[in-house]
Amino acid sequence: MIEPIQNAAEQRVLELLRESEAMLEGHFLLSSGRHSDKYFQCAKLLQYPDRTTEALTSLAERIKADMKKLALDAVAGPAMGGIIVAWELGRQLGLRSFFTERNEEGEMSLRRGFEIRQGERILIVEDVITTGKSFGECAAVLEKLGAEIAAIACIVDRRAADSKSPEETTWPIYAACKAEAKNWDAGSCDLCRQGTPAVKPGSRKSK
């Protein structure tokens, strides 16, 4: 389920993304392997600490309002996109934050001496959610170590309206903004049919 978003707050986040030149339009190959007409390079927003704080403030306030039922112990983000977001949300929520990352085999893992206590309730955060793949990989690692996933959060929820990702039916999703962006399977991409070449601006190898 998707938590309701205050329209004014959502519009301000979109403004901050535009001001940071973090909203790109064209033909993009996403890390999920899907193609899209928009790409959100949130790293360009996250390079500004003041904009990052502002973009996440309304999101943090909504999570704080639900803190009693969420009973959060910590915030975690999958590298790379979730590292700064996890740190800033952890700061605003007054919680410990850490991150998961890929090992030499490309598998998501918990490294660098980070530890999970049995039953610890975790908020998983990312910069952008399209299919929920990174969330799912991060959650699997933490649950194997004994954590309980309480909710997931992101700056931009750009999932298609008919998204059926497993995470959507398992955990509440908090997003700073919802952005409409077309995306297609590689074999049915409208932009490919038009002959427009796709570019890959992300940091993770596409499947």
Side-chain angles (χ1 to χ4, degrees):
M1 62 181 174
I2 303 176
E3 298 295 323
I5 298 173
Q6 295 179 358
N7 189 57
E10 180 180 16
Q11 289 301 318
R12 180 54 184 155
V13 174
L14 290 170
E15 288 175 7
L16 289 168
L17 288 164
R18 293 189 187 96
E19 290 171 7
S20 307
E21 299 182 345
M23 293 178 62
L24 309 177
E25 293 186 339
H27 182 188
F28 303 102
L29 174 60
L30 306 179
S31 58
S32 63
R34 294 178 68 83
H35 290 210
S36 178
D37 64 343
K38 290 186 179 65
Y39 188 85
F40 295 88
Q41 184 57 277
C42 287
K44 298 193 74 173
L45 166 68
L46 299 173
Q47 67 182 320
Y48 300 105
D50 56 338
R51 294 180 185 178
T52 301
T53 296
E54 184 178 357
L56 293 174
T57 294
S58 62
L59 177 60
E61 289 174 350
R62 287 189 287 116
I63 294 172
K64 285 179 183 178
D66 288 345
M67 191 63 82
K68 186 173 182 179
K69 70 177 181 181
L70 293 175
L72 298 174
D73 295 306
V75 181
M80 290 284 294
I83 295 178
I84 296 176
V85 186
W87 186 91
E88 177 58 25
L89 270 182
R91 187 189 70 80
Q92 293 195 33
L93 295 173
L95 298 173
R96 175 173 69 97
S97 69
F98 58 93
F99 59 90
T100 60
E101 61 188 307
R102 298 187 184 282
N103 59 23
E104 290 77 5
E105 288 73 41
E107 300 173 341
M108 194 66 76
S109 61
L110 189 66
R111 309 172 75 181
R112 303 175 190 267
F114 293 136
E115 296 180 351
I116 296 294
R117 296 186 295 274
Q118 189 69 32
E120 195 167 23
R121 291 180 59 80
I122 308 295
L123 170 70
I124 300 179
V125 303
E126 254 277 30
D127 52 357
V128 181
I129 178 173
T130 302
T131 64
K133 179 178 174 60
S134 293
F135 283 112
E137 291 178 322
C138 181
V141 170
L142 300 180
E143 287 180 324
K144 187 175 181 179
L145 294 171
E148 296 179 9
I149 308 306
I152 60 181
C154 61
I155 298 175
V156 181
D157 180 354
R158 54 152 300 153
R159 291 171 301 152
D162 60 351
S163 171
K164 300 297 182 183
S165 63
E167 292 76 16
E168 184 176 349
T169 59
T170 305
W171 307 300
I173 299 175
Y174 295 82
C177 70
K178 175 76 176 177
E180 293 185 7
K182 296 178 181 178
N183 69 87
W184 306 268
D185 287 327
S188 58
C189 175
D190 289 348
L191 296 175
C192 284
R193 284 196 287 265
Q194 295 170 17
T196 306
V199 297
K200 184 180 180 298
S203 61
R204 179 154 65 90
K205 185 179 296 184
S206 299
K207 300 295 184 183

